[in-house]
Amino acid sequence: METQDLLKENIAATLARVLPEAKIITTLKEANSDFPALMQIAVPKSFELKELDFEKLLPNPRRTKAAAQFTDAASFLAYINTHADEGTTVWCNFNPQTFALKFTAVLDEHSTTTPGWRQHTATFAPDMSAEWKAWIAKNGQSFAQVPFAEWLEEHAEDITSAEGFPTSLQMLGMATEFVANEERVLKSSAKLQSGGVRLTYVADPDAGTTESMEMFKQFALGIPVFQGGAAWRITARLKYALGQGKVNFRYELVRADRVHESAAKDLITQITEQLGDVPLLMGSIGS
Protein backbone atom coordinates (compact mmCIF):
# COMPACT_ATOMS: atom_id res chain seq x y z
CA MET A 1 0.00 0.00 0.00
CA GLU A 2 1.38 3.39 -0.92
CA THR A 3 2.21 5.89 1.82
CA GLN A 4 -0.49 8.34 0.67
CA ASP A 5 -3.19 5.67 0.80
CA LEU A 6 -2.04 4.53 4.21
CA LEU A 7 -2.20 8.09 5.52
CA LYS A 8 -5.78 8.52 4.30
CA GLU A 9 -6.79 5.26 5.99
CA ASN A 10 -5.26 6.30 9.31
CA ILE A 11 -6.96 9.70 9.20
CA ALA A 12 -10.35 8.10 8.46
CA ALA A 13 -9.95 5.58 11.29
CA THR A 14 -8.89 8.29 13.73
CA LEU A 15 -11.87 10.51 12.81
CA ALA A 16 -14.28 7.62 13.22
CA ARG A 17 -12.86 6.96 16.68
CA VAL A 18 -12.77 10.50 18.05
CA LEU A 19 -15.81 12.16 16.47
CA PRO A 20 -19.25 11.90 18.18
CA GLU A 21 -21.51 9.19 16.93
CA ALA A 22 -25.27 9.10 16.46
CA LYS A 23 -26.85 7.15 19.30
CA ILE A 24 -30.31 5.83 20.05
CA ILE A 25 -31.42 7.56 23.24
CA THR A 26 -35.00 6.29 23.68
CA THR A 27 -36.97 3.42 22.27
CA LEU A 28 -40.60 2.94 23.25
CA LYS A 29 -42.40 -0.29 22.49
CA GLU A 30 -46.06 -1.13 22.54
CA ALA A 31 -47.26 -4.22 24.38
CA ASN A 32 -47.58 -7.34 22.23
CA SER A 33 -45.61 -5.80 19.37
CA ASP A 34 -42.12 -6.44 18.00
CA PHE A 35 -41.96 -2.98 16.43
CA PRO A 36 -40.75 0.10 18.29
CA ALA A 37 -43.49 2.69 18.67
CA LEU A 38 -41.17 5.66 19.00
CA MET A 39 -37.40 6.10 18.69
CA GLN A 40 -35.37 9.19 19.63
CA ILE A 41 -31.86 9.48 18.17
CA ALA A 42 -29.09 11.88 19.25
CA VAL A 43 -26.82 13.01 16.44
CA PRO A 44 -23.74 15.27 16.46
CA LYS A 45 -24.04 19.03 16.13
CA SER A 46 -24.89 20.27 12.64
CA PHE A 47 -27.00 17.17 12.13
CA GLU A 48 -30.76 17.09 12.49
CA LEU A 49 -32.49 15.45 15.42
CA LYS A 50 -35.23 13.19 14.13
CA GLU A 51 -37.89 11.06 15.71
CA LEU A 52 -38.82 7.87 13.94
CA ASP A 53 -42.46 7.09 14.58
CA PHE A 54 -43.50 3.53 13.76
CA GLU A 55 -47.15 3.95 14.74
CA LYS A 56 -48.34 2.93 11.29
CA LEU A 57 -46.73 -0.48 11.81
CA LEU A 58 -48.70 -1.12 15.00
CA PRO A 59 -51.90 -3.19 15.00
CA ASN A 60 -53.80 -0.13 16.30
CA PRO A 61 -53.08 3.60 16.67
CA ARG A 62 -51.84 4.71 20.09
CA ARG A 63 -54.80 7.08 20.49
CA THR A 64 -57.94 8.06 18.63
CA LYS A 65 -57.69 10.99 16.22
CA ALA A 66 -60.78 12.10 14.35
CA ALA A 67 -62.73 15.17 13.29
CA ALA A 68 -66.20 13.76 12.68
CA GLN A 69 -68.90 16.03 11.24
CA PHE A 70 -72.62 15.32 11.57
CA THR A 71 -75.73 16.62 9.83
CA ASP A 72 -78.31 15.74 12.48
CA ALA A 73 -78.47 15.90 16.26
CA ALA A 74 -79.30 12.20 16.75
CA SER A 75 -76.12 11.01 15.01
CA PHE A 76 -74.04 13.61 16.86
CA LEU A 77 -75.38 12.45 20.23
CA ALA A 78 -74.99 8.76 19.35
CA TYR A 79 -71.32 9.29 18.50
CA ILE A 80 -70.69 11.11 21.79
CA ASN A 81 -72.44 8.41 23.81
CA THR A 82 -70.26 5.77 22.10
CA HIS A 83 -66.89 7.51 22.54
CA ALA A 84 -67.30 9.72 25.61
CA ASP A 85 -64.47 9.47 28.14
CA GLU A 86 -63.41 11.23 31.31
CA GLY A 87 -63.20 14.92 30.51
CA THR A 88 -65.35 14.75 27.35
CA THR A 89 -66.98 18.15 26.87
CA VAL A 90 -69.35 19.67 24.33
CA TRP A 91 -68.80 23.30 23.38
CA CYS A 92 -71.69 25.33 21.95
CA ASN A 93 -70.88 28.43 19.94
CA PHE A 94 -74.04 30.53 19.48
CA ASN A 95 -73.96 34.00 17.94
CA PRO A 96 -76.94 36.04 19.28
CA GLN A 97 -76.66 38.53 16.39
CA THR A 98 -76.54 36.14 13.42
CA PHE A 99 -77.95 33.10 15.29
CA ALA A 100 -75.15 30.95 13.83
CA LEU A 101 -75.07 27.75 15.86
CA LYS A 102 -72.39 25.06 16.13
CA PHE A 103 -71.75 22.24 18.59
CA THR A 104 -68.23 20.81 19.01
CA ALA A 105 -67.60 17.75 21.16
CA VAL A 106 -64.02 17.22 22.32
CA LEU A 107 -63.91 13.55 23.27
CA ASP A 108 -60.33 13.68 24.60
CA GLU A 109 -60.72 17.00 26.42
CA HIS A 110 -58.70 17.86 29.54
CA SER A 111 -60.05 16.31 32.71
CA THR A 112 -59.60 17.65 36.23
CA THR A 113 -56.59 15.37 36.77
CA THR A 114 -55.18 14.63 33.31
CA PRO A 115 -54.51 16.83 30.27
CA GLY A 116 -56.09 15.66 27.04
CA TRP A 117 -54.78 15.70 23.48
CA ARG A 118 -57.93 17.40 22.09
CA GLN A 119 -57.48 15.58 18.80
CA HIS A 120 -60.73 13.60 18.78
CA THR A 121 -63.64 15.91 17.96
CA ALA A 122 -67.18 15.77 16.61
CA THR A 123 -69.10 18.75 15.25
CA PHE A 124 -72.71 19.46 14.44
CA ALA A 125 -73.83 22.69 12.75
CA PRO A 126 -77.59 22.40 12.14
CA ASP A 127 -78.69 23.43 8.67
CA MET A 128 -81.77 25.54 8.09
CA SER A 129 -84.81 23.70 6.78
CA ALA A 130 -85.80 23.99 3.11
CA GLU A 131 -89.08 25.64 4.15
CA TRP A 132 -87.32 28.25 6.29
CA LYS A 133 -84.84 29.07 3.53
CA ALA A 134 -87.65 29.47 0.98
CA TRP A 135 -89.84 31.83 3.04
CA ILE A 136 -86.88 33.89 4.29
CA ALA A 137 -85.54 34.28 0.74
CA LYS A 138 -88.83 35.80 -0.53
CA ASN A 139 -89.60 37.82 2.59
CA GLY A 140 -90.56 41.38 1.58
CA GLN A 141 -90.19 40.64 -2.15
CA SER A 142 -92.78 42.13 -4.51
CA PHE A 143 -94.92 39.76 -6.61
CA ALA A 144 -97.31 40.40 -9.45
CA GLN A 145 -100.73 38.78 -8.95
CA VAL A 146 -100.19 35.49 -10.78
CA PRO A 147 -96.63 34.81 -9.51
CA PHE A 148 -97.87 35.48 -5.98
CA ALA A 149 -100.77 33.07 -6.47
CA GLU A 150 -98.35 30.44 -7.78
CA TRP A 151 -96.07 30.96 -4.78
CA LEU A 152 -98.97 30.44 -2.36
CA GLU A 153 -100.09 27.30 -4.20
CA GLU A 154 -96.57 25.85 -4.23
CA HIS A 155 -96.11 26.38 -0.49
CA ALA A 156 -99.69 25.79 0.69
CA GLU A 157 -98.55 22.93 2.97
CA ASP A 158 -96.53 25.42 5.01
CA ILE A 159 -99.65 27.46 5.87
CA THR A 160 -101.12 26.36 9.18
CA SER A 161 -104.58 26.83 10.64
CA ALA A 162 -104.72 28.98 13.76
CA GLU A 163 -107.41 31.00 15.46
CA GLY A 164 -107.88 34.33 13.73
CA PHE A 165 -105.91 33.24 10.64
CA PRO A 166 -107.13 31.88 7.29
CA THR A 167 -106.67 28.21 6.50
CA SER A 168 -104.50 26.99 3.65
CA LEU A 169 -107.71 26.27 1.69
CA GLN A 170 -108.87 29.86 2.14
CA MET A 171 -105.45 31.12 1.06
CA LEU A 172 -105.64 28.96 -2.06
CA GLY A 173 -109.10 30.43 -2.77
CA MET A 174 -107.62 33.91 -2.55
CA ALA A 175 -104.81 32.86 -4.89
CA THR A 176 -107.36 31.62 -7.43
CA GLU A 177 -109.09 35.02 -7.37
CA PHE A 178 -105.75 36.72 -7.96
CA VAL A 179 -105.35 34.70 -11.16
CA ALA A 180 -108.92 35.40 -12.26
CA ASN A 181 -108.41 39.15 -11.87
CA GLU A 182 -104.97 39.26 -13.49
CA GLU A 183 -106.05 41.17 -16.61
CA ARG A 184 -108.53 43.44 -14.89
CA VAL A 185 -107.88 46.99 -13.80
CA LEU A 186 -107.99 47.66 -10.08
CA LYS A 187 -110.61 50.32 -9.37
CA SER A 188 -110.31 50.74 -5.62
CA SER A 189 -109.22 49.19 -2.37
CA ALA A 190 -110.77 49.52 1.06
CA LYS A 191 -109.73 48.28 4.46
CA LEU A 192 -112.23 46.04 6.23
CA GLN A 193 -113.11 45.96 9.90
CA SER A 194 -111.44 42.53 10.11
CA GLY A 195 -108.16 44.12 9.09
CA GLY A 196 -108.23 42.67 5.58
CA VAL A 197 -108.62 44.58 2.33
CA ARG A 198 -111.41 44.53 -0.27
CA LEU A 199 -110.04 44.93 -3.78
CA THR A 200 -112.54 46.06 -6.42
CA TYR A 201 -111.75 45.34 -10.09
CA VAL A 202 -113.45 46.62 -13.25
CA ALA A 203 -115.13 43.50 -14.67
CA ASP A 204 -116.55 45.11 -17.83
CA PRO A 205 -115.35 48.62 -18.78
CA ASP A 206 -118.19 49.12 -21.25
CA ALA A 207 -120.92 48.11 -18.82
CA GLY A 208 -119.17 49.66 -15.86
CA THR A 209 -119.57 46.51 -13.79
CA THR A 210 -117.15 45.61 -11.00
CA GLU A 211 -116.23 42.57 -8.96
CA SER A 212 -114.65 42.47 -5.54
CA MET A 213 -112.44 40.06 -3.66
CA GLU A 214 -111.11 40.03 -0.12
CA MET A 215 -107.43 39.92 0.69
CA PHE A 216 -106.56 38.62 4.13
CA LYS A 217 -104.57 40.80 6.48
CA GLN A 218 -102.20 38.04 7.53
CA PHE A 219 -101.70 34.30 7.65
CA ALA A 220 -99.71 31.84 9.77
CA LEU A 221 -96.91 29.49 8.82
CA GLY A 222 -96.00 26.28 10.62
CA ILE A 223 -92.47 25.41 9.46
CA PRO A 224 -89.29 24.00 11.03
CA VAL A 225 -86.42 26.42 11.48
CA PHE A 226 -83.77 23.69 11.43
CA GLN A 227 -83.67 20.69 9.10
CA GLY A 228 -85.46 17.78 10.75
CA GLY A 229 -86.60 19.94 13.66
CA ALA A 230 -90.01 20.75 15.07
CA ALA A 231 -92.33 23.21 13.32
CA TRP A 232 -92.57 26.75 14.65
CA ARG A 233 -95.42 29.16 14.07
CA ILE A 234 -94.61 32.48 12.47
CA THR A 235 -97.00 35.21 11.36
CA ALA A 236 -96.84 36.67 7.85
CA ARG A 237 -98.49 40.02 7.10
CA LEU A 238 -99.94 40.53 3.62
CA LYS A 239 -99.13 43.84 1.93
CA TYR A 240 -100.08 45.31 -1.42
CA ALA A 241 -99.01 48.22 -3.61
CA LEU A 242 -100.99 49.93 -6.41
CA GLY A 243 -99.59 51.15 -9.70
CA GLN A 244 -101.16 51.89 -13.08
CA GLY A 245 -104.29 49.94 -12.32
CA LYS A 246 -102.36 46.88 -11.20
CA VAL A 247 -101.61 45.57 -7.76
CA ASN A 248 -98.47 43.88 -6.46
CA PHE A 249 -98.27 41.81 -3.32
CA ARG A 250 -95.69 40.85 -0.75
CA TYR A 251 -95.57 39.22 2.65
CA GLU A 252 -93.57 40.30 5.68
CA LEU A 253 -92.60 37.75 8.31
CA VAL A 254 -93.21 39.08 11.82
CA ARG A 255 -90.04 38.90 13.98
CA ALA A 256 -88.50 35.96 12.17
CA ASP A 257 -85.34 36.72 14.15
CA ARG A 258 -87.06 35.90 17.44
CA VAL A 259 -88.44 32.65 16.06
CA HIS A 260 -84.94 31.71 14.86
CA GLU A 261 -83.45 32.56 18.27
CA SER A 262 -86.11 30.57 20.12
CA ALA A 263 -85.55 27.53 17.89
CA ALA A 264 -81.78 27.73 18.47
CA LYS A 265 -82.17 27.95 22.25
CA ASP A 266 -84.66 25.09 22.21
CA LEU A 267 -82.19 22.90 20.29
CA ILE A 268 -79.41 23.76 22.75
CA THR A 269 -81.68 22.70 25.61
CA GLN A 270 -82.61 19.42 23.89
CA ILE A 271 -78.99 18.46 23.25
CA THR A 272 -77.95 19.44 26.80
CA GLU A 273 -80.65 17.18 28.27
CA GLN A 274 -79.61 14.23 26.12
CA LEU A 275 -75.88 14.49 26.89
CA GLY A 276 -76.35 12.95 30.32
CA ASP A 277 -73.18 13.46 32.39
CA VAL A 278 -71.28 15.11 29.54
CA PRO A 279 -71.18 18.87 30.22
CA LEU A 280 -72.13 21.48 27.61
CA LEU A 281 -70.30 24.80 27.79
CA MET A 282 -71.24 27.95 25.90
CA GLY A 283 -68.23 29.17 23.91
CA SER A 284 -65.54 27.76 21.62
CA ILE A 285 -62.64 25.41 22.31
CA GLY A 286 -59.94 27.83 21.10
CA SER A 287 -56.48 26.39 20.54
Side-chain angles (χ1 to χ4, degrees), residues 127-173:
D127 192 15
M128 314 310 296
S129 71
E131 297 89 343
W132 182 266
K133 290 178 181 178
W135 284 96
I136 289 293
K138 298 292 185 180
N139 187 29
Q141 180 175 312
S142 180
F143 292 83
Q145 288 185 194
V146 172
F148 188 57
E150 292 172 345
W151 168 265
L152 292 176
E153 290 173 352
E154 184 179 352
H155 298 86
E157 292 183 358
D158 300 336
I159 299 172
T160 186
S161 299
E163 185 177 354
F165 293 89
T167 64
S168 59
L169 188 61
Q170 289 173 317
M171 290 294 292
L172 286 174

Side-chain angles (χ1 to χ4, degrees), residues 88-227:
T88 293
T89 302
V90 175
W91 296 83
C92 177
N93 194 351
F94 175 56
N95 188 318
Q97 278 73 47
T98 64
F99 310 117
L101 180 60
K102 183 178 181 181
F103 300 89
T104 302
V106 183
L107 284 302
D108 55 351
E109 180 62 278
H110 310 310
S111 70
T112 55
T113 58
T114 308
W117 285 99
R118 307 182 101 192
Q119 293 182 333
H120 184 193
T121 63
T123 59
F124 168 51
D127 192 15
M128 314 310 296
S129 71
E131 297 89 343
W132 182 266
K133 290 178 181 178
W135 284 96
I136 289 293
K138 298 292 185 180
N139 187 29
Q141 180 175 312
S142 180
F143 292 83
Q145 288 185 194
V146 172
F148 188 57
E150 292 172 345
W151 168 265
L152 292 176
E153 290 173 352
E154 184 179 352
H155 298 86
E157 292 183 358
D158 300 336
I159 299 172
T160 186
S161 299
E163 185 177 354
F165 293 89
T167 64
S168 59
L169 188 61
Q170 289 173 317
M171 290 294 292
L172 286 174
M174 184 185 71
T176 301
E177 291 190 82
F178 284 155
V179 175
N181 290 311
E182 178 191 11
E183 300 299 329
R184 294 174 176 174
V185 175
L186 182 68
K187 181 179 180 180
S188 63
S189 62
K191 289 187 176 182
L192 303 175
Q193 189 174 1
S194 63
V197 175
R198 177 178 288 110
L199 301 175
T200 301
Y201 293 87
V202 177
D204 186 342
D206 296 329
T209 58
T210 60
E211 289 186 6
S212 298
M213 65 164 288
E214 181 179 338
M215 186 183 81
F216 297 108
K217 176 185 178 182
Q218 57 189 5
F219 59 97
L221 300 175
I223 58 175
V225 176
F226 296 111
Q227 185 64 36

Side-chain angles (χ1 to χ4, degrees), residues 26-30 35-40 52 54 58 62:
T26 305
T27 300
L28 299 178
K29 287 188 176 182
E30 295 286 343
F35 295 101
L38 180 68
M39 184 180 293
Q40 190 176 58
L52 303 179
F54 297 100
L58 300 173
R62 288 191 294 273

Side-chain angles (χ1 to χ4, degrees), residues 138 140-143 148 237-241 248-252:
K138 298 292 185 180
Q141 180 175 312
S142 180
F143 292 83
F148 188 57
R237 294 195 185 103
L238 274 174
K239 302 288 185 178
Y240 70 98
N248 288 331
F249 301 93
R250 70 181 188 277
Y251 64 84
E252 295 177 355

